[in-house]
């Protein structure tokens, strides 16, 4: 079964996570701007990732999702991930309040994939960065690889 990881990245952290997941899955990995509708043909598992920017996915990720035809993911398993700040770290109370209201990028991405006909393979996942530009927190690449192995076990 063909697996594909499609991602966007601003500071390189989400790309590192996507590569770790893709390696664990034995999947192709592509940046969202390079992914075309025909790349999704025959995909059995699609994983889409984005950094969380302003409580949402990047505009390029949103455009990729919008470009997927309705029903195009029928029969495919789908899930999503994001990179995000760790809300257990010191952060302004107002930021924590906004995160409770608006959330992170992964859940809306996953909803969008399901809306295009996919079935949810696993709950969306968030990987933690230390600061706006990163780097990834210690252990996050290992956690990403483990998540990818769990996804692969379900293929």
């Amino acid at each position: 079964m063909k697996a594909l990881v499609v991602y966007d990245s601003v500071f390189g952290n989400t790309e590192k996570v996507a590569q770790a997941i893709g390696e664990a899955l034995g999947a192709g990995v592509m940046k969202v701007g390079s992914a075309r509708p025909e790349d999704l043909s025959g995909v059995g598992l699609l994983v889409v990732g984005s950094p969380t920017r302003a409580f949402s996915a990047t505009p390029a990720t949103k455009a990729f999702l919008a470009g997927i035809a309705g029903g195009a993911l029928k029969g495919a398993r789908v899930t999503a991930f994001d990179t995000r700040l760790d809300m257990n770290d010191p952060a302004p109370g107002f930021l924590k309040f906004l995160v409770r209201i608006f959330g992170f990028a992964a859940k809306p991405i996953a909803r969008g994939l399901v809306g295009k006909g996919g079935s949810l393979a696993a709950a969306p996942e968030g990987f933690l960065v230390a600061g706006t530009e990163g780097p990834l927190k210690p252990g996050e690449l290992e956690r990403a690889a483990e998540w990818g192995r769990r996804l692969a076990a379900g293929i």
Side-chain angles (χ1 to χ4, degrees):
M1 185 179 299
K2 180 179 167 186
L4 180 63
V5 179
V6 177
Y7 73 92
D8 197 15
S9 194
V10 175
F11 299 110
N13 301 299
T14 311
E15 179 177 13
K16 290 176 185 173
V17 170
Q19 293 292 342
I21 294 167
E23 185 175 320
L25 282 170
V29 179
M30 339 178 66
K31 188 148 184 177
V32 72
S34 300
R36 303 167 314 225
E38 54 267 25
D39 295 321
L40 303 180
S41 179
V43 167
L45 174 64
L46 176 63
V47 180
V48 178
S50 173
T52 299
R53 308 288 294 167
F55 313 103
S56 188
T58 62
T61 304
K62 290 177 184 177
F64 169 74
L65 294 171
I68 299 172
L73 298 177
K74 187 172 177 77
R77 296 171 56 242
V78 297
T79 192
F81 72 92
D82 62 37
T83 51
R84 59 177 73 168
L85 291 172
D86 185 350
M87 288 294 101
N88 291 319
D89 286 350
F94 187 65
L95 177 61
K96 290 182 179 186
F97 172 74
L98 290 175
V99 165
R100 281 195 298 274
I101 293 172
F102 298 110
F104 298 102
K107 284 184 182 178
I109 294 170
R111 277 194 305 271
L113 295 169
V114 169
K116 300 293 182 167
S119 62
L120 197 59
E125 188 63 63
F127 298 95
L128 305 175
V129 294
T132 303
E133 295 183 19
L136 288 161
K137 293 194 108 179
E140 290 301 276
L141 284 180
E142 295 80 7
R143 198 164 70 79
E146 177 57 32
W147 190 65
R149 284 190 287 278
R150 288 195 316 268
L151 289 172
I155 289 180

